[in-house]
Amino acid sequence: MSAKILDGAALSRAILDELGEEVAALRAAHGTVPGLATILVGEDPASVSYVTRKVATAHALGFHEVQETLPATAHEAELLACIERHNADPRIHGILVQLPLPRHMEERTIIHAIAPEKDVDGFHPVNLGKLLMGDATAFLPCTPAGIREMLMRAGVRLDGAEVVIVGRSNIVGKPLAVLLGQKGPGGNATVTLTHTGTRDLAAHCRRADVLVAAAGVPGLVRSEWIKPGAVVIDVGVNRVGFNEKTGKPILSGDVEFAAAAEVAGMITPVPGGVGPMTIAMLMKNTVRSARQHPAA
Ligand code: NAP
């Protein structure tokens, strides 16, 4: 293997250590404890696992953590009432509703109901709008923010780089394209956003200095599509089997990892790459929200 592995788990531990110091300083200076409400609807195994990790990280940082679990059959009105309660609670600085939601609920209605100043996932239109306008007060969506943080901490030059993103979802591809294309440090890249309508995806990928795969299709990005020495960020988390011995799902990214690692300069593993960075950014947003409301 020639590529350097971008170890998201180690990087996120470093960020969480820094945040731990900030949490202690906030408590000492203002008596403020960052408060995070995590809301899970139903029992989708992937969602349960994500929420469990977020709650454990919040506890480890000494947050005031409130976990709400609603049955999959809950009415949308119950979820809205739960969000409203946390919007009004001064001890809560961040609200996270784990997606996806059951089909009978309108995701947009739920995201709109979260107070923008507590939207630590960065999915509310106010925060996405601020991101688009380059307003530094935006809560950035956690996965794109985590990817940028990872690239910056790894010393990857983004200024003038050709970045190709595969996937244009509202939570990963689109906001990441805006973030990396923004003028200023950690931006200034020339970004191409690709999707299922893209003609000749391989040709776009081959141009990339930084290639981000966020399609949710295991092994979509082939090693032949990677420019030698490129930085490859694999966002995909695909359950491709089940390990009877560990009782855990077998995960795979969107990139053909082993062969890609022979060509790339740097590459993220799955798991242990982008995932832990996403959680670290959620914590960072919550601490920032608490800092902005120190009296609570
Ligand atoms: P999504 O909403 O399903 O969007 C997938 C995007 O990929 C769409 O824009 C789609 O294009 C595009 N796409 C799908 N197949 C393609 C193909 N064959 N060629 C080109 N483009 C293709 O997905 P998402 O929510 O962004 O998630 C993507 C993956 O990242 C999933 O595996 C998810 O589990 C993972 N994820 C990981 C984290 C983390 O923290 N590690 C966070 C979020 C998501 P169209 O728009 O044309 O349909």
Side-chain angles (χ1 to χ4, degrees), residues 143 167-169 171-172 195-196 201 214-217 220 235-238 275 278:
T143 301
R168 59 177 160 190
S169 72
I171 63 168
V172 186
H195 42 76
T196 55
L201 182 62
V217 180
L220 172 69
V235 186
V237 180
N238 306 295
T278 299

Side-chain angles (χ1 to χ4, degrees), residues 50 123 142-144 147 165-174 193-198 201 213-218 220 225 234-239 252-254 270 273-279:
Y50 292 141
F123 294 163
C142 299
T143 301
I147 293 170
I165 301 170
V166 186
R168 59 177 160 190
S169 72
N170 287 338
I171 63 168
V172 186
K174 272 193 242 172
L193 189 59
T194 69
H195 42 76
T196 55
T198 299
L201 182 62
V217 180
L220 172 69
W225 299 4
D234 193 351
V235 186
V237 180
N238 306 295
R239 295 185 166 218
S252 152
D254 287 354
V270 176
V274 174
M277 294 299 291
T278 299
I279 296 179

Side-chain angles (χ1 to χ4, degrees), residues 4-258:
K4 178 183 174 207
I5 301 297
L6 285 173
D7 184 347
L11 276 173
S12 77
R13 274 195 299 275
I15 294 166
L16 293 175
D17 283 349
E18 292 162 16
L19 280 178
E21 289 174 21
E22 230 183 293
V23 171
L26 253 179
R27 191 194 286 260
H30 306 283
T32 304
V33 177
L36 177 66
T38 41
I39 307 173
L40 173 67
V41 186
E43 290 169 0
D44 169 64
S47 294
V48 170
S49 139
Y50 292 141
V51 165
T52 304
R53 262 181 279 160
K54 290 167 186 173
V55 169
T57 309
H59 277 142
L61 281 172
F63 283 15
H64 166 58
E65 159 64 43
V66 181
Q67 210 230 306
E68 305 269 11
T69 306
L70 276 65
T73 51
H75 290 292
E76 194 173 89
E78 290 175 63
L79 177 54
L80 289 169
C82 178
I83 292 171
E84 206 34 65
R85 224 174 34 252
H86 292 298
N87 278 344
D89 184 346
R91 290 168 309 165
I92 295 296
H93 303 97
I95 300 171
L96 170 135
V97 178
Q98 185 64 44
L99 301 178
L101 291 167
R103 284 213 189 112
H104 66 280
M105 292 186 179
E106 177 79 50
E107 217 163 86
R108 194 166 48 166
T109 308
I110 300 305
I111 290 171
H112 283 219
I114 298 170
E117 65 277 12
K118 296 192 179 188
D119 168 42
V120 286
D121 246 344
F123 294 163
H124 192 283
V126 165
N127 283 309
L128 286 174
K130 284 180 173 182
L131 163 63
L132 197 63
M133 297 169 81
D135 180 334
T137 66
F139 280 121
L140 299 178
C142 299
T143 301
I147 293 170
R148 184 179 65 168
E149 185 86 21
M150 183 178 236
L151 292 169
M152 289 177 78
R153 287 186 184 234
V156 174
R157 188 181 164 85
L158 287 163
D159 193 343
E162 291 284 340
V163 173
V164 176
I165 301 170
V166 186
R168 59 177 160 190
S169 72
N170 287 338
I171 63 168
V172 186
K174 272 193 242 172
L176 182 65
V178 173
L179 201 55
L180 299 186
Q182 209 79 264
K183 196 163 185 150
N188 242 11
T190 303
V191 183
T192 304
L193 189 59
T194 69
H195 42 76
T196 55
T198 299
R199 260 186 287 135
D200 203 348
L201 182 62
H204 285 287
C205 292
R206 282 193 189 101
R207 283 191 300 100
D209 301 314
V210 178
L211 177 58
V212 182
V217 180
L220 172 69
V221 174
R222 317 290 308 255
S223 56
E224 314 87 85
W225 299 4
I226 296 169
K227 181 161 103 174
V231 177
V232 178
I233 305 292
D234 193 351
V235 186
V237 180
N238 306 295
R239 295 185 166 218
V240 292
F242 192 76
N243 185 328
E244 298 289 348
K245 278 191 192 150
T246 62
K248 288 184 177 165
I250 300 167
L251 302 180
S252 152
D254 287 354
V255 178
E256 208 185 42
F257 181 82

